[in-house]
Amino acid sequence: MTEDSQRNFRSVYYEKVGFRGVEEKKSLEILLKDDRLDIEKLCTFSQRFPLPSMYRALVWKVLLGILPPHHESHAQVMMYRKEQYCDVLHALHVVRFVSDATPQVEVYLRMYQLESGKLPRSPSFPLEPEDEVFLAIAKAVEEMVEDSVDCYWIIRCFVNQLNNKYRESLPQLPKAFEQYLNLEDSRLLSHLKTCSALSRLPYDLWFKRCFAGCLPESSLQRVWDKVVSGSCKILVFVAVEILLTFKIKVMALNNAEKITKFLENIPQDSSDAIVSKAIDLWHKHCGTPVHSA
Amino acid sequence: MAQQANIGELLSMLDSPVLSVRDEVTAVFKENLSSDRGPMLVNTLVDYYLETNSQPVLHILTTLQEPHDKHLLDKMNDCMGRAASRLPALSLLGHVIRLQPPWKHKLSQAPLLPSLLKCLKMDTDVIVLTTGVLVLITMLPMIPQSGKQHLHDFFDIFGRLSSWCLKKPGHVTEIYLVHLHASVYALFHRLYGMYPCNFVSFLRSHYSMKENLDTFEEVVRPMMEHVRIHPELVTGSKDHELDPRRWKRLETHDVVIECAKISLDPAEASYEDGDSVSPQVSARFPHRAADVATSPYVDTQNSCGSATSTPYSSSRLMLLNTPGQPPQTLSPPSTRLLTEPPQATLWSPSMVCGMTTPPTSPGNVPPDLSHPYSKVFGTAGGKGTPLGTPATSPPPAPLCHSDDYVHISLPQATVPAPKKEEKTDSARPCLHRQHHLPNDRGLEELPGLKGSVTLSDLPGFLGDLASDEDSVEKDKEEAAISKELSEITTADTEPLVPRGGFDSPFYRDSLPGCPRKTHSATSGPQGTSVNPEPFNSSLDKRGPDTPKQAFTPIDLPCGGTHESPAGDRERQTSLETNILTPSPCKIPPQRGVGFGSGQPPPYDHLFEVALPKTAHHFVSKKTKELLKKAKGNTEEDYPPSTSPAEVLDRLIQQGADAHSKELSRLSLPSKSVDWTHFGGSPPSDEIRTLRNQLLLLHNQLLYERFKRQQHALRNRRLLRKVIKAAALEEHNAAMKDQLKLQEKDIQIWKVSLQKEQARYSQLQDQRDTMVTQLHSQIRQLQHDREEFYNQSQELQTKLEDCRNMIAELRLELKKANSKVCHTELLLSQVSQKLSNSESVQQQMEFLNRQLLVLGEVNELYLEQLQSKHSDTTKEVEMMKAACRKELEKNRSHVLQQNQRLDTSQKRILELESHLAKKDHLLLEQKKYLEDVKVQARGQLQAAESRYEAQKRITQVFELEILDLYGRLEKDGLLKKLEEEKAEAAEAAEERLACCKDGCSDSVTDHHEEASGHNGETKPPRPGGARGSSGSRGGGGGSSGGSSSELSTPEKPPNQRAGLFSSRWETTVGEPATSIPTTVGSLPSSKSFLGMKARELFRNKSESQCDEDSVTISSLSETLKTELGKDLGVEAKTPPTLDGPHPSPPNPDSVGQLHIMDYNETHHEHSEG
């Protein structure tokens, strides 16, 4: 009751009229005030609304399981996390895998490798493709999060989520992409098919790296909000929206390689719009997630 | 050529006197004509005719059929071109036209018409001109629509010829001019009648010129005096006149009559419509009265005839004639001849009426035929007075018919009216009335009524006429008969008159004319001045003779010379009075008779009446004129209004008079007569002139005949109408009869209806009575029914009562049954009770008995008690007190117990609430616990992850270490190989030094460790450890190896131990063998190490991992050192104590180890 009264009574009308995100911050704060954080509610919230950047790190950490739902244990758990980070870092220093000169991203990679037991025998060993993915994601997260411990943990858990939770669904995304593109613009799809570019689209960049390196971080984090909160389908819509946005250019290109090349290096200026549209499209096709409560 | 010759022959044969031959030849020609379509035959015929003037050829030519008309016209056109043949051609054309061939409409397009017109414009021969004009006049009504093209030609011709009449160009004989004038006069009438507007405008323009003014004054103006204003001048226009549509609905004779209508000339005029001016009638009226007075039959006749002047007068004429008949019959044949024709004419209408055969050709009825009729009428006339019943007597039948005709002319005259008139003998009032009728209506009503009949019913009558063609045929037959007859008569009576070209009917006309001539001759010599005198004497009121004179010329020439224009007038009159007077030309003879016999007054009146309208009109007109000029003018100066025709008439009459006079005197009369009459012409010339004149007259006559035929045609049509009307009348009468019959029927039906109604009312009454009876019955029955109903109701109520009673009884029965059952139950109970009570009684008895026994016993005891009573009371009291006390005690106890119970119950409640609280608390606790668990799990997860990380770290470290070791071993092996020789020599020395170092090191280490165990663990310097190990590395690689083996207690390093032992064996020998046993007990040491490690882990969770490993290594180091010390001790001892006791130190060391293991504290205590 108190929570309700704290909320602006107009919020209901804002939503009805179509102003979204007016009361988001407040409602998120209310959500975060709960002693035992309700993960589901947080998921729904982040799927429905863009997260305020000041709470993004916290919410991500909670959603990714870095922080437990209890506020009490946050400090302690965070301490553990930090120690673990330090230990691993120290170990890497000890085994001379990393040095002070090593770039932070690689440090994160080595740490992850160490923790997952995949540390190669020598740092000079060539990198695996998944390591490249990790590096791309890490680079993106590094831009978003300041604290290195948080950063490492977020990267780690994010990648883990991709590898575990989305292991099954990620390979399905290209198909879904084709389907939604057909619904949105069948001509474009047919064009892609005629150029035989459909199979050669940068699916790795889009779905495995989750657009890391493709979109600027400011837009990317909005996409990842959804990914972190449990929906990897948003990636499909972002991809569709990219194609729709650059439809004219894509239609003008006849070569599959050129298309791929162009899509790998899309201009960054319209990314915000793309993401907004993609989210709208996602809501349109998959429905707006509702509070389960 | 042969054919030509043949034709020539045939032509000549045509004129053969044998009638049969002529007929045959004619037939042959006709056949030829029908088979041959070429123009040759026609041309030959025309040529022949022009040459010979042959009558049969003319007959053939006039009856030419369609395909030859063109040839004929062409041929005539040719002939017209030549001056020589112009006149015969014209006369031929006149003959052809007058017969109105079916192709007459083609004339307007034929080139003949322009050439005729041209001829009329150019020619100077008066005869040709006169003939041509007459032909043109005849032709005009046939082709009225051609006026559009040739109108101005017509007018020009008129203008030219009219001026001719005045100017007399050249040496034209005066006598011709008279003819010409007459024909121009006719043309004037025709043109004025047909195209009034155009004609008047022409006149206006033409005679406005000065040079023509004279002509107008002299010629045209007198003509204009003889015409009325044409209605078309008011209503029509120039264009309308020329409109073909106007002419389309008019037939030739219609046109002729139209023209005649506007004429005021008595000779020309036609008053068919009765639109004659009535003043004349009034003028004539007194004569009528006088006439009526003379004739006794006038009344009946008047009654038979009806109101219009025409039929009235005619019928009266008939009757008037009838009385005149007997004297006439007595008169000599000549006079009789004269008188008879009028009778014939008088009677012919009745005949016509009776037989419904209209007279076709004028004057066809021969005197022989007419005479019997007159006789018949004479008889009829005898019976005439009782004519009141027309149905009975045969003669009135025709009268009735005439009556019918009268009906047409005056429909308002009804049949009953005449009957009444008959009865009233006084004629005057009737006459007056009847005269009044025409007088009053003469102008107004009659035209309208007539018009209504003629115009509206004309088509119908025409249709009838068409259907009654047989009558026409009859006419033709009659005409043929009369023709022959007349021919015969002419042949008999007038061989003198050589008129080859004349038609037969006119021949016959000449027949009456002949005797007439004689009469006229008788009067003729007396001169014109003589004639008036009898008139004067006979007609008191007419007074002046001049009118009569003016009148006579018309009559006389008719009788005398056939060429006289009287024919014209006759025809006109015949048109009018055809029905009544088929041969009006016979009227003049009668006049002649009148003149001759010297009984002019009666006959004059008769003729007046006989020529009903025309004559009457004419006479009245004349009288009027005469009245005007009566006193002042007795001379023969003709009034300026005298028409050219009259002039001609007079001329002819005079000519005829002269001629007849001469005839009677001379064998060659004509010459002398002409000579004497016209003065001074040479005889030859005179003959030519006379011939020409004759020709002209003939032409004129033909023209007049044509007119007459037109009138006849019209008359026939009118007759048809009359017949039709009669038929309608009949029909009306029949209808009336039918109506009457039907009315009678209706009355009969009415009577029967009344009867039926009466019967019906009777039946109604009967029915009513029956109904009332039945009603009463019904009422009674209803009453009965109600009674029965009431009874049944009562019975039903009774029945219900019974039913109720039965139900009650049943209920009672049930109750009784239940009672019985109950009682039975009670009975059984009672019986049971009874048995019980019996047993109780028995018991009671038994008990009574016992009681008795007990009572006895009691008494016995009482006795005993009384005996012992005093002792027991105190005791009893005591016992009672005790009991009381005990009771109180117990009571208080119970109270206590109750209180306790309450308290305990309260306690229970409290505890229960506590329990609930506790449960709640427990739940909360559980929740909390869960929460905590979750929290802990989260923390634990984090810790586990840390642990996992640590594991990974250690693994990495291990790997690293192993790697390093691997490298080291490689290096060590190489060094070994190099230093193996030197090693053997310096082994002992190095070993000692090494042992000393190791001992000191180990002691210090041990101490450090002990202190660390006791208090705070000091982070051992790894460097130191390393250093020691490193320093020892040189000393003894084997020992380092053992220590490393020791440091990994998890893996039971038997091999390494083996290696170690073997090394030891190689180095130490015996002790080396014992060491394996100690090593074999390593599990314990291992467990110790494990514990140590766990302790370390537990204690240094936060410390660096490196330290752990360092401590472990240091531990192993210490162990090594201990071992080494022991060994050193041992080694010291062995050098001292020799080698046989190498085993004891091993157990010691083991024990030490044990002690160290289990009693660490003690050990430390002891050490400390």
Side-chain angles (χ1 to χ4, degrees):
Chain A
M1 290 298 275
T2 48
E3 282 175 15
D4 282 352
S5 63
Q6 278 168 12
R7 282 187 69 176
N8 191 340
F9 69 90
R10 298 181 199 87
S11 61
V12 186
Y13 304 105
Y14 288 145
E15 282 169 23
K16 270 191 183 172
V17 172
F19 295 124
R20 286 185 300 173
V22 176
E23 291 289 284
E24 284 158 17
K25 198 175 167 187
K26 200 145 201 180
S27 51
L28 182 63
E29 277 169 1
I30 292 163
L31 277 179
L32 289 177
K33 246 181 213 168
D34 281 342
D35 180 25
R36 195 178 155 189
L37 295 170
D38 194 332
I39 307 279
E40 272 184 26
K41 274 186 183 171
L42 278 177
C43 273
T44 320
F45 180 86
S46 82
Q47 290 200 1
R48 279 185 74 166
F49 312 110
L51 291 171
S53 51
M54 61 180 295
Y55 291 114
R56 178 168 283 121
L58 175 61
V59 173
W60 279 19
K61 279 196 280 186
V62 172
L63 290 178
L64 288 172
I66 298 163
L67 283 178
H70 290 274
H71 285 292
E72 286 176 16
S73 46
H74 276 186
Q76 194 182 2
V77 171
M78 212 51 229
M79 199 182 72
Y80 285 158
R81 302 299 188 198
K82 194 174 179 180
E83 278 177 6
Q84 188 174 341
Y85 174 79
C86 289
D87 285 348
V88 175
L89 188 67
H90 178 73
L92 285 174
H93 273 293
V94 167
V95 295
R96 277 170 271 163
F97 249 98
V98 294
S99 65
D100 291 337
T102 320
Q104 194 64 30
V105 184
E106 204 186 324
V107 172
Y108 293 143
L109 173 68
R110 296 304 176 193
M111 286 171 78
Y112 178 73
Q113 281 178 336
L114 192 148
E115 284 209 69
S116 56
K118 293 169 185 168
L119 197 67
R121 295 286 296 153
S122 159
S124 56
F125 276 15
L127 291 171
E128 299 281 318
E130 53 182 48
D131 297 336
E132 297 285 350
V133 172
F134 185 89
L135 279 179
I137 291 169
K139 215 173 222 169
V141 177
E142 197 186 12
E143 295 287 322
M144 299 179 209
V145 187
E146 286 174 3
D147 187 22
S148 59
V149 177
D150 285 350
C151 180
Y152 167 69
W153 274 102
I154 285 167
I155 295 163
R156 180 177 180 265
C157 291
F158 188 78
V159 170
N160 271 338
Q161 195 174 27
L162 285 184
N163 289 344
N164 300 324
K165 198 175 172 184
Y166 300 148
R167 183 191 295 267
E168 300 297 318
S169 49
L170 278 179
Q172 312 293 330
L173 292 184
K175 272 186 193 173
F177 165 73
E178 194 178 327
Q179 178 199 342
Y180 286 115
L181 188 59
N182 188 29
L183 282 177
E184 286 298 319
D185 195 339
S186 52
R187 258 185 68 219
L188 188 59
L189 181 67
S190 58
H191 172 73
L192 291 176
K193 274 180 179 170
T194 47
C195 296
S196 65
L198 194 62
S199 53
R200 294 167 71 177
L201 291 174
Y203 292 128
D204 274 2
L205 171 67
W206 289 348
F207 303 140
K208 285 198 180 166
R209 297 188 189 182
C210 301
F211 295 97
C214 181
L215 297 172
E217 280 69 25
S218 56
S219 334
L220 190 63
Q221 56 193 3
R222 286 167 61 200
V223 177
W224 283 10
D225 281 346
K226 318 297 176 193
V227 179
V228 164
S229 61
S231 167
C232 62
K233 244 187 179 174
I234 182 68
L235 299 173
V236 173
F237 290 100
V238 175
V240 169
E241 196 52 50
I242 285 171
L243 275 178
L244 289 176
T245 309
F246 301 107
K247 178 184 167 184
I248 301 163
K249 284 176 187 171
V250 171
M251 291 294 271
L253 297 170
N254 291 326
N255 197 342
E257 285 174 21
K258 277 183 189 168
I259 291 173
T260 313
K261 211 170 188 179
F262 170 74
L263 289 177
E264 277 170 355
N265 300 299
I266 55 168
Q268 309 262 305
D269 45 0
S270 58
S271 59
D272 233 14
I274 289 171
V275 170
S276 301
K277 281 184 192 170
I279 289 165
D280 285 343
L281 203 65
W282 173 58
H283 283 274
K284 182 182 139 197
H285 281 290
C286 299
T288 313
V290 188
H291 285 291
S292 53
Chain B
M1 275 285 108
Q3 204 193 351
Q4 279 284 49
N6 192 24
I7 290 171
E9 265 176 51
L10 284 172
L11 284 172
S12 61
M13 278 168 75
L14 256 182
D15 284 332
S16 78
V18 185
L19 206 65
S20 59
V21 174
R22 206 197 273 187
D23 286 347
E24 275 171 31
V25 175
T26 314
V28 167
F29 270 112
K30 277 187 178 166
E31 266 176 44
N32 268 337
L33 281 169
S34 60
S35 61
D36 185 17
R37 300 178 77 88
M40 204 184 59
L41 188 57
V42 175
N43 290 350
T44 349
L45 279 172
V46 172
D47 285 339
Y48 183 76
Y49 171 73
L50 294 181
E51 266 175 50
T52 60
N53 240 0
S54 160
Q55 207 62 64
V57 174
L58 177 64
H59 179 70
I60 291 167
L61 282 175
T62 50
T63 53
L64 274 177
Q65 289 306 306
E66 190 78 55
H68 299 287
D69 60 324
K70 202 173 174 312
H71 313 314
L72 180 65
L73 289 174
D74 288 343
K75 181 67 187 168
M76 283 195 288
N77 194 24
D78 278 358
C79 299
M80 200 79 86
R82 281 172 282 149
S85 58
R86 196 171 286 163
L87 186 59
L90 275 175
S91 64
L92 174 62
L93 178 60
H95 284 301
V96 171
I97 283 169
R98 258 169 234 124
L99 283 179
Q100 297 201 38
W103 40 267
K104 64 183 177 188
H105 61 278
K106 288 185 182 172
L107 282 167
S108 58
Q109 275 87 39
L112 188 59
L113 182 63
S115 65
L116 170 68
L117 294 173
K118 193 184 156 197
C119 157
L120 286 173
K121 274 196 243 177
M122 308 294 289
D123 210 301
T124 51
D125 188 359
V126 180
I127 302 161
V128 172
L129 284 174
T130 313
T131 317
V133 166
L134 287 176
V135 167
L136 181 64
I137 293 164
T138 317
M139 213 192 290
L140 271 177
M142 295 179 195
I143 46 168
Q145 69 274 14
S146 72
K148 208 166 195 173
Q149 307 147 25
H150 304 293
L151 196 62
H152 286 283
D153 293 329
F154 302 153
F155 294 158
D156 287 344
I157 289 161
F158 175 78
R160 177 170 180 251
L161 297 181
S162 58
S163 65
W164 259 61
C165 293
L166 189 72
K167 286 170 187 167
K168 303 163 189 165
H171 52 285
V172 182
T173 327
E174 190 80 17
I175 198 83
Y176 294 165
L177 279 179
V178 176
H179 288 283
L180 182 63
H181 197 189
S183 55
V184 168
Y185 177 64
L187 179 64
F188 172 83
H189 269 278
R190 184 67 82 238
L191 287 175
Y192 180 68
M194 284 174 77
Y195 313 106
C197 294
N198 283 295
F199 188 57
V200 166
S201 77
F202 161 77
L203 291 177
R204 203 176 293 146
S205 64
H206 191 259
Y207 293 107
S208 60
M209 290 183 282
K210 264 209 167 152
E211 64 266 25
N212 295 327
L213 202 62
D214 289 344
T215 321
F216 179 71
E217 285 296 327
E218 293 295 320
V219 182
V220 182
R221 202 167 153 184
M223 285 180 188
M224 286 173 74
E225 282 173 9
H226 289 279
V227 290
R228 299 191 289 156
I229 283 187
H230 200 292
E232 285 285 323
L233 282 171
V234 180
T235 58
S237 69
K238 281 185 179 183
D239 295 334
H240 175 67
E241 278 166 19
L242 302 176
D243 193 2
R245 274 174 299 177
R246 181 191 169 208
W247 300 108
K248 246 172 209 169
R249 52 189 184 80
L250 292 176
E251 283 184 51
T252 310
H253 60 87
D254 288 326
V255 178
V256 171
I257 298 301
E258 283 289 316
C259 295
K261 268 184 199 169
I262 49 101
S263 175
L264 286 174
D265 191 337
E268 289 276 349
S270 157
Y271 299 101
E272 187 181 293
D273 301 348
D275 46 7
S276 63
V277 197
S278 46
Q280 294 151 0
V281 180
S282 64
R284 197 197 57 182
F285 188 68
H287 307 290
R288 277 281 163 72
D291 295 342
V292 170
T294 53
S295 65
Y297 293 112
V298 164
D299 292 351
T300 53
Q301 204 49 29
N302 273 340
S303 61
C304 285
S306 68
T308 51
S309 61
T310 331
Y312 159 70
S313 53
S314 65
S315 56
R316 212 178 68 171
L317 181 70
M318 288 191 271
L319 270 191
L320 283 172
N321 274 331
T322 42
Q325 188 74 12
Q328 271 183 356
T329 46
L330 295 171
S331 63
S334 61
T335 53
R336 201 183 146 192
L337 258 176
L338 284 169
T339 48
E340 269 172 357
Q343 279 181 339
T345 57
L346 284 171
W347 283 114
S348 56
S350 57
M351 173 202 77
V352 163
C353 295
M355 302 189 153
T356 65
T357 50
T360 53
S361 55
N364 278 349
V365 188
D368 309 37
L369 277 171
S370 62
H371 186 61
Y373 274 106
S374 68
K375 275 183 176 170
V376 167
F377 191 80
T379 54
K383 295 168 191 170
T385 31
L387 270 181
T389 56
T392 50
S393 62
L399 285 176
C400 275
H401 278 286
S402 69
D403 225 21
D404 287 345
Y405 288 124
V406 164
H407 268 292
I408 289 166
S409 55
L410 189 73
Q412 66 257 58
T414 49
V415 180
K419 283 180 182 172
K420 279 179 187 172
E421 302 277 324
E422 277 176 295
K423 284 166 187 172
T424 56
D425 272 344
S426 66
R428 292 253 170 117
C430 306
L431 270 175
H432 263 293
R433 215 180 72 178
Q434 289 189 341
H435 279 290
H436 268 298
L437 281 169
N439 289 346
D440 295 344
R441 295 167 187 169
L443 263 174
E444 301 140 43
E445 286 185 359
L446 282 181
L449 293 163
K450 252 270 153 96
S452 70
V453 174
T454 48
L455 290 176
S456 61
D457 296 349
L458 196 65
F461 287 113
L462 281 173
D464 279 22
L465 267 176
S467 66
D468 288 16
E469 280 215 317
D470 54 340
S471 67
V472 178
E473 279 176 45
K474 259 187 190 173
D475 294 353
K476 278 179 184 171
E477 279 173 40
E478 263 191 287
I481 294 162
S482 60
K483 191 175 163 186
E484 281 198 21
L485 275 169
S486 63
E487 269 175 354
I488 294 160
T489 48
T490 43
D492 294 342
T493 56
E494 282 237 46
L496 289 173
V497 187
R499 289 179 202 101
F502 281 169
D503 259 347
S504 47
F506 287 86
Y507 257 82
R508 209 233 49 200
D509 274 345
S510 71
L511 173 76
C514 286
R516 272 275 330 262
K517 266 176 208 163
T518 55
H519 287 277
S520 62
T522 54
S523 60
Q526 288 167 2
T528 46
S529 58
V530 181
N531 274 330
E533 283 176 5
F535 267 113
N536 275 334
S537 62
S538 60
L539 306 168
D540 313 322
K541 281 155 200 174
R542 282 205 192 151
D545 302 351
T546 35
K548 256 314 148 199
Q549 256 192 342
F551 183 69
T552 40
I554 306 163
D555 293 15
L556 289 174
C558 174
T561 57
H562 274 277
E563 291 96 329
S564 72
D568 178 298
R569 193 193 53 176
E570 278 161 18
R571 231 160 282 140
Q572 280 193 349
T573 51
S574 78
L575 235 175
E576 180 80 350
T577 57
N578 221 348
I579 309 156
L580 302 166
T581 56
S583 58
C585 50
K586 262 125 203 185
I587 299 159
Q590 204 188 23
R591 271 242 186 257
V593 169
F595 276 71
S597 62
Q599 299 176 327
Y603 288 116
D604 188 49
H605 295 304
L606 290 181
F607 298 141
E608 225 180 300
V609 184
L611 286 175
K613 207 165 188 181
T614 338
H616 137 97
H617 161 71
F618 178 77
V619 167
S620 55
K621 188 182 154 195
K622 287 298 158 206
T623 46
K624 204 171 78 182
E625 280 169 10
L626 288 173
L627 277 170
K628 270 186 199 165
K629 299 158 186 175
K631 277 110 194 183
N633 220 348
T634 48
E635 286 175 348
E636 266 197 51
D637 75 331
Y638 302 115
S641 63
T642 316
S643 73
E646 280 171 38
V647 175
L648 193 61
D649 284 345
R650 213 164 293 154
L651 173 72
I652 289 160
Q653 189 200 357
Q654 284 175 355
D657 290 349
H659 180 64
S660 54
K661 218 168 28 182
E662 291 304 312
L663 267 179
S664 57
R665 273 190 296 181
L666 300 167
S667 58
L668 197 70
S670 64
K671 265 187 191 171
S672 62
V673 167
D674 286 340
W675 206 349
T676 51
H677 191 77
F678 293 105
S681 310
S684 61
D685 196 31
E686 188 73 5
I687 287 167
R688 195 176 55 83
T689 322
L690 281 176
R691 278 226 182 94
N692 284 340
Q693 222 176 326
L694 196 66
L695 202 63
L696 286 172
L697 281 174
H698 184 207
N699 281 340
Q700 193 83 31
L701 181 67
L702 287 177
Y703 167 65
E704 295 298 338
R705 194 203 291 169
F706 165 72
K707 279 212 282 187
R708 187 206 61 191
Q709 274 171 350
Q710 296 308 312
H711 282 274
L713 215 64
R714 191 170 181 79
N715 282 344
R716 256 170 270 152
R717 182 161 299 170
L718 292 173
L719 182 64
R720 180 60 47 214
K721 279 190 230 163
V722 167
I723 290 161
K724 185 78 186 169
L728 283 175
E729 196 71 22
E730 273 297 294
H731 193 240
N732 258 2
M735 293 285 271
K736 269 179 193 161
D737 285 350
Q738 270 187 332
L739 192 68
K740 265 180 199 167
L741 282 175
Q742 274 167 353
E743 271 175 6
K744 222 178 243 177
D745 274 358
I746 286 166
Q747 277 195 333
I748 290 165
W749 284 119
K750 268 182 189 165
V751 170
S752 65
L753 180 71
Q754 276 178 346
K755 273 185 198 167
E756 288 297 320
Q757 270 175 344
R759 235 173 70 188
Y760 171 74
S761 58
Q762 205 179 342
L763 285 171
Q764 191 88 18
D765 289 346
Q766 280 182 353
R767 195 186 65 91
D768 283 346
T769 51
M770 280 284 282
V771 165
T772 46
Q773 233 175 346
L774 287 171
H775 268 303
S776 63
Q777 261 184 339
I778 285 166
R779 228 169 285 139
Q780 208 172 352
L781 288 170
Q782 260 177 344
H783 186 68
D784 285 356
R785 193 183 69 92
E786 265 172 39
E787 275 179 15
F788 283 127
Y789 181 75
N790 285 341
Q791 278 182 349
S792 72
Q793 209 95 359
E794 275 174 33
L795 286 173
Q796 248 170 351
T797 49
K798 272 183 191 171
L799 184 72
E800 232 157 86
D801 284 350
C802 287
R803 266 186 202 145
N804 283 345
M805 268 173 57
I806 287 166
E808 274 172 28
L809 287 173
R810 269 192 195 140
L811 218 82
E812 275 176 33
L813 186 70
K814 263 185 199 171
K815 272 182 191 169
N817 275 344
S818 62
K819 262 185 187 171
V820 168
C821 281
H822 190 66
T823 43
E824 271 177 5
L825 203 98
L826 282 177
L827 193 67
S828 61
Q829 278 177 342
V830 167
S831 58
Q832 220 171 0
K833 275 183 184 171
L834 192 69
S835 58
N836 282 353
S837 65
E838 273 173 6
S839 62
V840 166
Q841 238 170 352
Q842 278 176 354
Q843 270 185 335
M844 203 177 73
E845 278 175 17
F846 177 69
L847 285 175
N848 275 340
R849 244 177 270 150
Q850 270 190 334
L851 192 68
L852 278 176
V853 173
L854 282 175
E856 282 175 9
V857 171
N858 198 22
E859 276 182 20
L860 216 135
Y861 278 128
L862 275 175
E863 281 176 12
Q864 280 182 351
L865 203 74
Q866 276 172 348
S867 59
K868 291 176 184 174
H869 187 67
S870 53
D871 302 333
T872 51
T873 47
K874 274 187 182 175
E875 208 178 320
V876 170
E877 278 174 13
M878 288 285 281
M879 279 191 45
K880 273 184 181 172
C883 277
R884 247 174 248 143
K885 274 181 182 176
E886 221 171 315
L887 199 68
E888 275 171 16
K889 231 184 185 175
N890 284 338
R891 269 180 193 156
S892 63
H893 196 70
V894 166
L895 212 75
Q896 263 184 333
Q897 288 291 335
N898 278 342
Q899 279 170 351
R900 269 183 202 166
L901 190 70
D902 284 348
T903 51
S904 59
Q905 269 172 349
K906 272 178 188 171
R907 179 78 183 151
I908 285 163
L909 279 174
E910 269 176 35
L911 287 173
E912 273 175 355
S913 67
H914 270 296
L915 193 67
K917 271 182 191 170
K918 282 263 168 74
D919 281 342
H920 191 66
L921 213 67
L922 205 63
L923 273 174
E924 276 183 358
Q925 288 293 329
K926 270 183 186 171
K927 261 189 199 167
Y928 182 66
L929 198 63
E930 281 292 313
D931 206 28
V932 170
K933 261 187 190 171
V934 171
Q935 193 180 345
R937 203 177 293 138
Q939 288 178 359
L940 199 65
Q941 271 172 355
E944 265 176 14
S945 78
R946 242 185 90 191
Y947 168 68
E948 284 290 315
Q950 289 292 355
K951 248 163 70 178
R952 296 294 176 196
I953 290 164
T954 46
Q955 276 178 359
V956 169
F957 281 159
E958 273 173 15
L959 272 174
E960 187 68 25
I961 288 163
L962 282 175
D963 196 32
L964 288 172
Y965 274 136
R967 271 188 238 167
L968 271 179
E969 262 178 29
K970 270 184 188 172
D971 293 348
L973 272 174
L974 287 171
K975 278 180 184 173
K976 242 184 183 175
L977 286 169
E978 286 169 12
E979 294 171 11
E980 220 162 34
K981 297 154 192 176
E983 192 187 341
E986 295 172 38
E989 236 183 341
E990 278 181 18
R991 204 177 293 161
L992 272 173
C994 184
C995 278
K996 279 173 186 170
D997 289 343
C999 269
S1000 62
D1001 274 352
S1002 69
V1003 168
T1004 52
D1005 278 351
H1006 189 74
H1007 278 294
E1008 277 169 9
E1009 245 180 88
S1011 67
H1013 282 299
N1014 289 334
E1016 204 44 57
T1017 51
K1018 287 176 187 170
R1021 286 160 299 176
R1026 288 265 166 106
S1028 69
S1029 64
S1031 64
R1032 233 183 336 151
S1038 59
S1039 66
S1042 69
S1043 72
S1044 77
E1045 276 173 330
L1046 280 171
S1047 69
T1048 53
E1050 290 95 339
K1051 300 167 191 172
N1054 284 327
Q1055 291 88 6
R1056 290 185 185 196
L1059 181 76
F1060 173 77
S1061 62
S1062 67
R1063 271 182 201 161
W1064 271 112
E1065 268 181 300
T1066 53
T1067 49
V1068 189
E1070 189 52 45
T1073 53
S1074 66
I1075 286 167
T1077 55
T1078 53
V1079 173
S1081 66
L1082 267 172
S1084 60
S1085 70
K1086 173 197 154 188
S1087 69
F1088 157 74
L1089 281 172
M1091 279 178 71
K1092 193 78 175 174
R1094 219 167 293 150
E1095 255 185 336
L1096 281 169
F1097 276 129
R1098 212 169 287 157
N1099 293 335
K1100 303 176 181 176
S1101 61
E1102 276 92 20
S1103 68
Q1104 295 135 342
C1105 309
D1106 293 28
E1107 280 179 359
D1108 260 346
S1109 59
V1110 167
T1111 47
I1112 288 167
S1113 62
S1114 69
L1115 181 70
S1116 62
E1117 216 81 339
T1118 50
L1119 282 173
K1120 262 188 263 173
T1121 50
E1122 270 184 296
L1123 193 69
K1125 195 178 79 179
D1126 287 352
L1127 284 172
V1129 175
E1130 290 274 342
K1132 276 174 191 171
T1133 50
T1136 54
L1137 297 172
D1138 214 353
H1141 306 281
S1143 53
N1146 278 342
D1148 275 344
S1149 69
V1150 170
Q1152 239 183 337
L1153 280 169
H1154 275 283
I1155 291 161
M1156 280 175 74
D1157 194 5
Y1158 296 108
N1159 296 317
E1160 207 176 28
T1161 49
H1162 289 291
H1163 181 69
E1164 280 188 68
H1165 278 295
S1166 63
E1167 277 196 322

